[in-house]
Amino acid sequence: MPLRDPGLYAPSGTGDGAVLLALRDPATGTIAFPRTAYGIGATPAEAAEPIQLSGRGTVLTCITIHQPLSPGMAVPLLVARLRLEEGPVLDGILEGTEEVPPGTLVQAVLVPEDSERGPLLVCRFRMLEGAA
């Protein structure tokens, strides 16, 4: 099944796990997600190192969206601000409908979703077993 956003994530090779596609500045170690044609700071994209982030992170905050923000958006939808174990902070969609507390450990996974183009794999974040 094709990925909805292949420039953002890829299968990890383990079950339904996902990795996130990023860039690292080889001089400073600074990480940029998502990958961008503009590079990182003063380092052009062609000089940056393409890397894969583990997709593991910690929930900083979580909210429930009840009103669709775009046509076809299924609600309720959990949106969380996450700190990835490699350092970057990003917003991601959590699986489920119950908000989780700050500090909850999550992992990026690929899940099927229906779209106008047919079924696609999308990236979601799943609470890790034993985490709460």
Side-chain angles (χ1 to χ4, degrees), residues 20 53-61 80-92 103-107 125:
L20 306 179
L53 304 177
S54 68
R56 290 185 300 273
T58 303
V59 172
L60 300 176
T61 189
R81 178 136 309 156
L82 309 167
R83 180 178 308 281
L84 299 177
E85 72 180 13
E86 294 89 354
V89 174
L90 58 92
D91 294 330
T104 299
L105 301 176
V106 294
Q107 171 66 52
F125 289 86

Side-chain angles (χ1 to χ4, degrees), residues 2-130:
L3 301 174
R4 183 171 68 189
D5 296 304
L8 296 178
Y9 48 81
S12 69
T14 305
D16 60 358
V19 293
L20 306 179
L21 306 178
L23 292 174
R24 180 178 17 229
D25 183 329
T28 66
T30 302
I31 296 172
F33 175 81
R35 290 180 180 169
T36 171
Y38 302 106
I40 306 169
T43 302
E46 53 275 358
E49 172 189 7
I51 62 169
Q52 295 181 349
L53 304 177
S54 68
R56 290 185 300 273
T58 303
V59 172
L60 300 176
T61 189
C62 180
I63 63 167
T64 302
I65 305 293
H66 294 281
Q67 182 69 31
L69 302 175
S70 62
M73 177 186 232
V75 292
L77 185 70
L78 293 176
V79 177
R81 178 136 309 156
L82 309 167
R83 180 178 308 281
L84 299 177
E85 72 180 13
E86 294 89 354
V89 174
L90 58 92
D91 294 330
I93 299 173
L94 300 182
E95 284 189 319
T97 58
E98 296 291 321
E99 290 185 19
V100 299
T104 299
L105 301 176
V106 294
Q107 171 66 52
V109 294
L110 297 175
V111 298
E113 182 176 279
D114 290 327
S115 77
E116 295 171 353
R117 301 182 302 186
L120 298 172
L121 289 174
V122 299
C123 183
R124 296 291 181 261
F125 289 86
R126 178 179 295 155
M127 188 170 71
L128 291 172
E129 291 294 320

